[in-house]
Amino acid sequence: MSEDLERDLGLYSAVTISMGAMIGSGIFVLPAVGYKEAGPAVIVAYVLAGLIVLPAALSKAEMATAMPESGGTYLYIDRALGPLFGTVAGIGAWFSLVFKSSFALVGLGAYLLLLVDIPSGLVKVVALALGAFVVVLNIAGTKQSGRLQAIIVTVVVVALGAYVVNGTFVVDPGRYEPFATHGREGVVTAAAYVFVSYAGVTKIASVAEEVADPGRNLPIAILASMGVMMLIYAAVVAVVVGIVDPGTLTAGGPNGGPSLTPMADGADALFGGVGVLVVSVSAVLALTSMANAGVLASSRFPLAMSRDSLIPSGFTRIDPRFNTPRNAILLTGVVLLALIAFVPVIELAKLASAFQILVFSIVNVAIVAFRESGVESYEPSYVAPGYPFVQTVGVVAGMALLTRMGTLPILGAVGITLGGIVWYWSYGRPRTDRVGALTLLLRRRRGDDVTIDETDGDLISPEQERK
């Protein structure tokens, strides 16, 4: 059975997959969560979070053109730092993307209540049904999934543009004062919470094996979607803050918590019932799109790890009819549905953000390992600017954000890390003897003669090469 995937995704599909992974909860759910921490300065928090993500986005854009294969973050960290780090990053990045997709579908339920009159107890059931639909869609084909993304993202961006244009005429300047209600610390904390909004920017790298002309399309997709979304976030959040009552944002949600429908709250102030209807439909589309992009990207982590013998080989299986990694998608789908059923929505956002911050920091280290090791097979067609200053800033800023996440998300990130280490030593280590570019660098500086296996880019020792 073939284990190769088809390059079905063009530039527009690549851009919209990346944007679709960001355009959901970051706009339709999280603004109120950030507002509670920073007040009107949540606008700055969104920009700050984007700037902290940018170094990792640049690094991933470079590494994606050197290794246009399924796996994205896992693949880069594994090849740069070795299979131990790769296992931790692969499992953690997979979990965090599934967390984010679950968060999107749970948040969708709050908007669904504004559209149809159903008992609140059934909202989770609807989210589970949509989750199952997304899983089936991904099994049915990447091209179909990419087309759906392109349509949904285009519609939602047009709707958001209309929202911003109309909102700017009615914003109340007084709602921006005082601006930073909790000072600089509040802005940094809010940035940590909304960081997950940008985590999808590099999801397209996870499906690089299915992108046409990856040397050109991957960097454009990553950087274009990043720039567009930073502008959209800043503009939309600024309008929401300027037209929605602060009490609604901070305490208009379940159990007196932050509102889970801040965009609809603003639409009600702008257009009344019709506006709420339009925004709610847009939210349902965007959050479904976000979940779809999450399943599409995260399911490629088990595929890539299985190819490297770090998890059972059954996850390399490609469906003969649809040419998609069926087993990897099913595994992702099972975890997605379990999270929707049993984990509180806000905790999903925090857990997703915490590990993504950690992984994005490690990605910045990975590119340093590749550049300094001089690996012959590392030949990117796009070179990230500002090296190594940009990557250093990304690591330091990421670690600073991580400290603002609170105890539970940090413990969750530590737990995933320890779990990945245990899995590697108990399962992966006996099945692989690969090393990373970092090991090559250290051995070369020690004076050892180390070469590259040009057949797959894996780093091997002289003893392994003779065998």
Side-chain angles (χ1 to χ4, degrees):
M1 185 179 299
S2 172
E3 294 184 1
D4 295 326
L5 301 173
E6 296 180 0
R7 294 195 179 276
D8 289 328
L9 301 173
L11 177 59
Y12 193 68
S13 291
V15 171
T16 52
I17 285 173
S18 186
M19 287 181 62
M22 292 185 281
I23 208 168
S25 60
I27 284 181
F28 291 98
V29 180
L30 285 177
V33 176
Y35 184 90
K36 188 170 184 179
E37 298 295 332
V42 65
I43 304 165
V44 177
Y46 269 92
V47 176
L48 176 61
L51 293 175
I52 294 173
V53 169
L54 187 57
L58 291 168
S59 297
K60 275 196 177 185
E62 175 177 314
M63 291 185 286
T65 63
M67 295 167 280
E69 305 169 36
S70 290
T73 300
Y74 155 73
L75 185 71
Y76 312 144
I77 293 176
D78 179 274
R79 299 302 187 261
L81 306 179
L84 171 59
F85 284 92
T87 301
V88 172
I91 292 175
W94 176 71
F95 264 118
S96 62
L97 289 181
V98 179
F99 283 151
K100 188 178 179 186
S101 298
S102 305
F103 176 59
L105 290 173
V106 173
L108 181 153
Y111 280 93
L112 195 63
L113 281 175
L114 301 176
L115 288 175
V116 292
D117 185 18
I118 60 174
S120 59
L122 291 179
V123 171
K124 188 166 286 190
V125 175
V126 174
L128 288 168
L130 284 170
F133 166 74
V134 166
V135 172
V136 171
L137 177 66
N138 273 269
I139 292 175
T142 303
K143 182 184 290 186
Q144 288 75 11
S145 185
R147 285 173 177 169
L148 178 65
Q149 287 294 106
I151 294 170
I152 290 177
V153 170
T154 301
V155 171
V156 172
V157 168
V158 171
L160 290 175
Y163 188 96
V164 170
V165 169
N166 285 276
T168 53
F169 292 107
V170 296
V171 294
D172 178 3
R175 297 197 191 277
Y176 300 107
E177 298 176 359
F179 190 63
T181 55
H182 293 78
R184 286 179 294 182
E185 288 192 1
V187 175
V188 175
T189 301
Y193 284 176
V194 304
F195 185 92
V196 71
S197 304
Y198 293 98
V201 66
T202 56
K203 280 184 181 178
I204 189 59
S206 299
V207 292
E209 194 170 322
E210 295 149 270
V211 175
D213 193 7
R216 170 183 177 271
N217 290 341
L218 284 171
I220 293 175
I222 290 172
L223 300 178
S225 61
M226 184 74 195
V228 171
M229 287 309 303
M230 285 184 69
L231 291 174
I232 289 176
Y233 278 140
V236 170
V237 174
V239 169
V240 168
V241 170
I243 64 178
V244 180
D245 179 73
T248 301
L249 289 174
T250 57
N255 303 315
S259 171
L260 295 181
T261 57
M263 287 287 291
D265 298 332
D268 187 39
L270 274 177
F271 309 111
V274 174
V276 172
L277 177 65
V278 172
V279 165
S280 297
V281 170
S282 299
V284 170
L285 289 173
L287 292 166
T288 302
S289 165
M290 180 177 167
N292 178 55
V295 172
L296 177 65
S298 59
S299 62
R300 271 51 178 182
F301 289 124
L303 171 66
M305 294 179 71
S306 182
R307 287 172 171 175
D308 288 341
S309 303
L310 294 177
I311 63 174
S313 61
F315 294 106
T316 62
R317 186 165 300 163
I318 304 300
D319 188 283
R321 179 180 178 186
F322 300 113
N323 204 45
T324 53
R326 181 184 59 205
N327 290 354
I329 294 171
L330 288 174
L331 172 66
T332 301
V334 168
V335 176
L336 173 79
L337 297 178
L339 289 171
I340 292 172
F342 302 114
V343 180
V345 60
I346 298 299
E347 297 308 317
L348 284 173
K350 292 180 180 179
L351 287 168
S353 274
F355 205 88
Q356 281 292 347
I357 291 170
L358 181 60
V359 167
F360 274 43
S361 296
I362 298 174
V363 163
N364 286 309
V365 176
I367 195 173
V368 175
F370 278 123
R371 293 256 195 124
E372 298 303 317
S373 67
V375 175
E376 290 88 345
S377 58
Y378 183 73
E379 297 179 348
S381 57
Y382 167 81
V383 177
Y387 174 88
F389 173 77
V390 168
Q391 286 70 28
T392 303
V393 170
V395 172
V396 173
M399 292 298 99
L401 272 194
L402 192 59
T403 63
R404 308 299 305 175
M405 290 300 300
T407 302
L408 183 59
I410 292 175
L411 287 178
V414 171
I416 292 174
T417 300
L418 293 176
I421 292 171
V422 171
W423 178 266
Y424 171 74
W425 284 105
S426 62
Y427 184 90
R429 183 68 183 90
R431 292 169 172 81
T432 182
D433 53 7
R434 290 177 296 105
V435 297
L438 178 61
T439 301
L440 174 66
L441 173 62
L442 296 175
R443 288 179 179 176
R444 281 182 171 171
R445 290 190 173 178
R446 200 169 58 197
D448 294 348
D449 180 22
V450 184
T451 60
I452 302 294
D453 178 358
E454 295 293 351
T455 61
D456 59 8
D458 290 342
L459 306 180
I460 59 173
S461 67
E463 292 79 14
Q464 291 170 324
E465 185 178 36
R466 285 193 290 271
K467 292 178 182 179

